[in-house]
Amino acid sequence: MRELRKRGIPAGPSTGTNLIVCLQVAEEMCAEGRPGLIASLICDEADRHGDTCDDDGWLTEQGIELTDQQEQLGAYLDGGRVPESWSPAIQE
């Protein structure tokens, strides 16, 4: 969701989850040579999550580290490679 906000989309965690799944499906479709369209909705805004999902201290308390994932998603959205942490099926 932070990467989307950098691009002017005030997205929360549900939208971020939808985005990742859509990108995974798109990569799978491309790998299999299947044409098609993928649609998703922007489910929520980030403003409701300031004291949880958007708070680095809260994330640390939950054992969640986003640094690598944020960098990988940002690079991918800027035209880079599929992050290795995504589904193994996409990497093949």
Side-chain angles (χ1 to χ4, degrees):
M1 68 186 203
R2 293 176 183 189
E3 285 300 320
L4 292 177
R5 283 201 311 272
K6 288 180 187 177
R7 290 160 170 76
I9 301 170
S14 297
T15 299
T17 300
N18 283 348
L19 172 67
I20 295 300
V21 172
C22 287
L23 294 174
Q24 289 174 329
V25 170
E27 290 293 337
E28 289 173 2
M29 290 172 67
C30 286
E32 296 171 3
R34 291 187 295 147
L37 299 173
I38 301 167
S40 181
L41 301 175
I42 295 177
C43 304
D44 56 356
E45 291 190 12
D47 59 350
R48 299 183 330 179
H49 306 285
D51 58 350
T52 56
C53 296
D54 202 26
D55 181 310
D56 290 334
W58 184 87
L59 292 169
T60 300
E61 290 173 8
Q62 308 309 309
I64 301 170
E65 174 60 51
L66 296 179
T67 305
D68 291 342
Q69 289 85 0
Q70 280 181 237
E71 291 173 6
Q72 290 175 359
L73 177 59
Y76 180 75
L77 292 175
D78 290 335
R81 298 190 66 227
V82 176
E84 291 182 18
S85 61
W86 290 9
S87 170
I90 297 173
Q91 301 298 324
E92 296 174 357

